[in-house]
Amino acid sequence: MTDTNDDMLRLLIERIERQEEEKKTISDSIREIYSEAKSHGYDVKILRAVIRLRAMEENERQEYQAVLDTYMTALGYMTAISL
């Protein structure tokens, strides 16, 4: 490889390493927030589900609810709350 290619490779690797470090920092911060929520009595599993649902588009959420209702009905359960 040429010096230019070597420099480019090094720069790309360094950028990826910085992003990985930022990702770890953000992940640690999120974990702390979940821990705080748990200490306030919130169910972390439900919080994660709410966050996942909020990230969905409305039509995607409706489709998810329809499939969930279908499965629950097939299993003899009723869904109490509509998403």
Side-chain angles (χ1 to χ4, degrees):
M1 287 171 72
T2 65
D3 286 340
T4 304
N5 286 340
D6 292 348
D7 290 341
M8 177 57 74
L9 177 60
R10 183 180 46 76
L11 289 172
L12 290 169
I13 289 172
E14 288 172 356
R15 284 175 51 200
I16 291 168
E17 289 171 339
R18 281 193 300 275
Q19 292 298 310
E20 289 292 339
E21 184 58 36
E22 286 181 34
K23 183 170 71 171
K24 182 187 178 314
T25 300
I26 290 169
S27 181
D28 290 345
S29 179
I30 291 169
R31 194 172 10 266
E32 288 174 15
I33 295 168
Y34 279 118
S35 179
E36 180 182 349
K38 185 175 181 178
S39 73
H40 286 285
Y42 294 105
D43 186 323
V44 172
K45 191 171 167 181
I46 300 300
L47 286 176
R48 289 182 191 277
V50 169
I51 290 167
R52 183 175 42 82
L53 289 168
R54 285 175 48 112
M56 291 180 185
E57 296 289 330
E58 180 65 26
N59 62 332
E60 184 181 8
R61 200 169 28 255
Q62 289 172 352
E63 181 180 333
Y64 176 85
Q65 181 66 47
V67 172
L68 179 61
D69 288 345
T70 300
Y71 286 14
M72 295 299 283
T73 300
L75 294 169
Y77 297 101
M78 297 176 61
T79 56
I81 298 174
S82 190
L83 302 175

